[in-house]
Amino acid sequence: MINGSTQLFGIIGNPVEHSLSPAMHNAAFAALGLNGVYIPMRPSDLADGFRGLRSLGFSGVSVTVPYKVAIMDFLDEIDPVAHKIGAVNTLFFQRKGAGESFCKGFNTDWLGSNQALAEEIELKGSTVLIIGAGGAARAVGFGLLEAGAKILITNRTEAKGRELADQLNCTFIPVHEVSQVRADVLINTTSVGMAPHHDALPIRPELLVQFSVVMDIVYAPLETRLLQEAAARGCRTIDGLKMLQHQGAAQFALWTGREGPLAIMRNALLTELQSR
Ligand code: ATR
């Protein structure tokens, strides 16, 4: 029940109506009997919106597209890994006495991808080929460096791929040379394969035998063609909801000090996805 002690949480983005995070976090609050509520919000202006969150006493807020970079200008402190990634997806507000709250920004996307991968493989010392060079690839890449993995990057647009590879101090593999790669893990960080383009593949399927584990960050459909082709060739597969649920659990732990109830969060995500 919402009352005077309810803690406020939410997500800011534009658009934000499609976000699965309210379903995931509200289910977690309910399961643990915590008096919190998580709502989607679309600020008409980011600076005004941020001031509003502070002033109204929000405890924790997720940040999604297009604000993950711009929000960094408003924060009192930024976690070092979020700083390296250059994007913040999580705000943590702490009230200091009666005055304004202190706000620290984090990035839990990299924690989500590392945790999802850790269910299948020891990342330290593993070699990982990342497909893509956008914001998701940056978060996944810096996360893998934190975990002690060796990274390779491939991308449709070579210049963009080389730029990220330079920042991660890793090797860029042109698309036509991916057939020569041998790695433990393949991660698709592009939107290739997302509905309604179910049949699209980010890599030639016959090359999937080169990897033990294949992870997709696309979660609609849940079982992408990439994951189907990988499973058919004996790879262990990790679906896109895993990263989402683990990054959500990391936010939940930060905000509440409690471990995120992973199974409940995943179920909430699945139910919400199926209802659409
Ligand atoms: P995000 O921040 O979600 O990662 P992004 O910054 O737009 O999104 O990056 C999208 C990534 O997916 C890029 O690496 C993009 O490749 P390009 O650099 O060549 O644009 C990749 N991508 C998107 N659609 C693609 C497609 N149809 N085929 C191959 N790569 C694609």
Side-chain angles (χ1 to χ4, degrees), residues 65 131-137 155-158 160-161 189-192 202 217:
V65 179
I131 308 178
N155 191 50
R156 175 180 63 180
T157 305
E158 190 160 329
K160 211 172 145 193
T189 70
T190 77
S191 53
V192 177
I217 70 160

Side-chain angles (χ1 to χ4, degrees), residues 13-32:
N14 188 8
V16 76
E17 304 77 43
H18 66 286
S19 172
L20 299 173
S21 293
M24 172 173 65
H25 283 294
N26 285 319
F29 291 137
L32 296 190

Side-chain angles (χ1 to χ4, degrees), residues 182-203:
R182 296 288 172 277
D184 303 295
V185 182
L186 174 76
I187 305 177
N188 173 43
T189 70
T190 77
S191 53
V192 177
M194 192 185 287
H197 306 290
H198 299 78
D199 275 347
L201 279 171
I203 185 173

